[in-house]
Amino acid sequence: DAGITQSPRYKITETGRQVTLMCHQTWSHSYMFWYRQDLGHGLRLIYYSAAADITDKGEVPDGYVVSRSKTENFPLTLESATRSQTSVYFCASKTGDGNGELFFGEGSRLTVL
Amino acid sequence: AQSVTQLGSHVSVSEGALVLLRCNYSSSVPPYLFWYVQYPNQGLQLLLKYTSAATLVKGINGFEAEFKKSETSFHLTKPSAHMSDAAEYFCAVRTGWKLSFGAGTTVTVRA
């Protein structure tokens, strides 16, 4: 089925470990985004990408790394996980149209012990 | 930078009552505004969006929002709440390619 999928949906890890959250979309949307959702903060943008090999920082990029070698994939890596990175992470994509709708994945719930 | 503020982190309504969720924006230029809904354990989905074509915007599931420039507001309403409206609602404003979200308002519906 077409859509945007995230994996894993749930992950528990320990402080200092590297974690990669995967995001795959089948629409060939130009733009992809990573948000984190925390109580009281809504969604905050971590990184975004306008096309393959083009990425840029959002509001809260520290401690995260992204890459986009293919249009359909946009993995998010926590190089050395910290407890403050415990959160729900959402991947989203949209077309190049300025007012295009954001389509969200179902989220990845990450717990850092 | 453009931003939105949602007034009230939690709203409780009776089934059949009016739902009113408040959103104010800060923008020096005409904004593009959105309302998204998030059901438990799901991603966000678009309810409606304002793109300057009309000040009253109708969305899915009976929701609508009115853009009021004089009040810098984009409040979301639904005349009659249904149990299935229990969810978290986010107001958002477009800045370039990006959307900036408010903190969210959780709606509970009492039988």
Side-chain angles (χ1 to χ4, degrees):
Chain A
D1 288 342
I4 183 165
T5 56
Q6 295 182 232
S7 62
R9 292 291 313 280
Y10 303 91
K11 176 75 175 179
I12 300 174
T13 191
E14 296 177 337
T15 300
R17 290 192 179 265
Q18 183 178 67
V19 175
T20 295
L21 305 180
M22 304 300 293
C23 179
H24 175 79
Q25 53 107 352
T26 60
W27 293 303
S28 298
H29 285 169
S30 301
Y31 295 96
M32 296 188 74
F33 306 82
W34 275 106
Y35 288 88
R36 59 177 289 174
Q37 183 179 26
D38 303 288
L39 193 64
H41 291 280
L43 279 80
R44 292 180 291 177
L45 183 64
I46 304 171
Y47 269 96
Y48 64 101
S49 169
D53 297 322
I54 301 174
T55 63
D56 206 350
K57 297 178 180 179
E59 303 171 63
V60 290
D62 294 343
Y64 303 95
V65 175
V66 294
S67 62
R68 194 162 176 212
S69 58
K70 294 183 178 181
T71 299
E72 61 267 30
N73 297 325
F74 192 40
L76 176 74
T77 297
L78 288 67
E79 294 186 300
S80 178
T82 65
R83 290 181 180 172
S84 65
Q85 292 177 310
T86 292
S87 186
V88 182
Y89 292 85
F90 286 97
C91 181
S93 70
K94 68 182 289 292
T95 65
D97 169 22
N99 292 318
E101 175 184 350
L102 272 185
F103 292 88
F104 284 84
E106 292 189 316
S108 295
R109 183 176 294 275
L110 176 67
T111 301
V112 183
L113 302 176
Chain B
Q2 300 185 62
S3 65
V4 291
T5 302
Q6 292 184 241
L7 302 176
S9 60
H10 187 258
V11 169
S12 180
V13 298
S14 297
E15 192 173 20
L18 171 72
V19 179
L20 170 61
L21 305 181
R22 301 178 188 275
C23 173
N24 287 89
Y25 66 90
S26 63
S27 173
S28 58
V29 297
Y32 292 99
L33 296 161
F34 304 78
W35 275 100
Y36 279 80
V37 60
Q38 184 183 30
Y39 298 105
N41 298 314
Q42 294 186 25
L44 282 70
Q45 51 185 283
L46 182 68
L47 269 179
L48 50 82
K49 62 182 179 182
Y50 169 73
T51 58
S52 76
T55 57
L56 184 63
V57 182
K58 294 188 182 297
I60 61 171
N61 301 337
F63 284 92
E64 63 181 34
E66 186 172 9
F67 175 75
K68 291 188 176 179
K69 184 177 179 180
S70 61
E71 299 178 6
T72 62
S73 69
F74 190 56
H75 301 333
L76 181 72
T77 60
K78 181 173 180 177
S80 177
H82 190 271
M83 298 300 289
S84 61
D85 295 326
E88 189 161 17
Y89 294 79
F90 293 92
C91 184
V93 62
R94 181 170 72 86
T95 304
W97 309 317
K98 302 171 288 184
L99 285 190
S100 297
F101 289 86
T105 299
T106 300
V107 173
T108 57
V109 182
R110 305 185 303 272

